[in-house]
DNA sequence: TTAACTGGTATACTCAATGATACTGGTTAC
DNA sequence: GTAACCAGTATCATTGAGTATACCAGTTAA
């Protein structure tokens, strides 16, 4: 069975496209870590602005990565939940965390 | 042993920063697939421009991801080789290819 | 001699992603 | 009453990543 490099490249680029900007992966990670409320997610990602988080969550809702639920208590509270589909990024994120960790060690050692 | 979410996020963001733009991962992938010559790499990544590939390879050389060797035959030929460090992206790339592939199937099924 | 290959560089431009800042309307605690 | 929380929206400015296009000097093949 031959490896189809063009097909692999296409898959790779699809993934990169889907991951898109700077915040998608951190937001997925935050949701998968159990953060649910808007401000809670915001606080869990230092540096993100309200605007970017809002945009990101909207797009992710459209892409079925996140489920938004409004609870009608007073005051209204909103919950964001990662879908099963969202969780399929688990392996990629894990590998990225591992790489970043090893990279840091590597830098420290060679400094 | 507790998971340190801040540390994980930092590792994640370091990795994302290192991966950077649109072409880094495709170039690494191409090199790891055995492409060595400039035009060969260029052709293996449809859509990339000469300028972007040139920039990418220079940065990657500075970051010790790639080794550039000039052979003094006529005409001069140049070879790019992935370093061991470059190959540490193997797992991430593999997971990304898998995700993209599954995603395509998922889209097709639900269409 | 003309075209096509090699390995790139130079210049100009554009636009979409991100950042900065302010604001809203409602609620709760001191 | 005022400060701080919630969940965002609105507007504007910026910037750099990426694109487009042309070009260079040398070599090889028809």
């Amino acid at each position: 069975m031959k490896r189809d490099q063009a097909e692999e490249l296409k898959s790779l680029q699809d993934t990169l496209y889907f991951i898109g900007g700077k915040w998608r992966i951190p937001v997925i990670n935050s949701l998968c870590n159990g953060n649910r409320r808007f401000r809670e997610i915001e606080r869990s990602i230092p540096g993100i602005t309200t605007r970017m988080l809002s945009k990101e969550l909207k797009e992710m809702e459209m892409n079925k990565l996140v489920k938004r639920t409004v609870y009608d208590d007073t005051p209204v509270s909103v919950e964001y939940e990662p879908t099963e589909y969202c969780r399929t990024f688990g392996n990629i994120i894990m590998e990225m965390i591992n790489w970043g960790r090893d990279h840091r060690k590597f830098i420290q050692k060679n400094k």
Side-chain angles (χ1 to χ4, degrees), chain A:
Chain A
M1 174 148 130
K2 254 188 83 180
R3 281 176 54 226
D4 181 347
Q5 289 194 24
E7 185 274 338
E8 289 191 356
L9 179 60
K10 197 176 170 309
S11 301
L12 197 47
Q13 287 182 312
D14 286 352
T15 304
L16 287 165
Y17 178 78
F18 207 87
I19 286 174
K22 190 174 174 181
W23 302 111
R24 174 72 45 100
I25 290 288
V27 170
I28 293 176
N29 185 240
S30 175
L31 288 165
C32 291
N33 276 340
N35 298 302
R36 294 287 174 269
R37 310 293 298 274
F38 190 90
R39 298 294 181 196
E40 186 185 11
I41 299 165
E42 193 177 17
R43 276 190 301 268
S44 76
I45 310 174
I48 198 169
T49 58
T50 308
R51 179 175 175 278
M52 287 313 290
L53 180 56
S54 174
K55 277 192 63 179
E56 205 57 55
L57 287 170
K58 265 182 199 161
E59 276 182 50
M60 288 174 66
E61 209 190 337
M62 291 197 305
N63 287 319
K64 305 282 180 205
L65 288 175
V66 89
K67 197 178 142 230
R68 181 177 183 271
T69 315
V70 181
Y71 293 98
D72 227 2
D73 20 343
T74 58
V76 163
S77 74
V78 181
E79 264 193 25
Y80 293 94
E81 240 184 304
T83 61
E84 273 314 302
Y85 197 46
C86 186
R87 294 185 188 279
T88 62
F89 282 99
N91 286 343
I92 292 180
I93 289 178
M94 200 187 58
E95 292 297 344
M96 283 187 172
I97 291 173
N98 289 339
W99 191 92
R101 191 134 53 203
D102 292 350
H103 179 64
R104 190 164 353 110
K105 283 180 201 154
F106 180 79
I107 295 291
Q108 233 128 56
K109 204 181 61 187
N110 290 52
K111 158 176 92 173

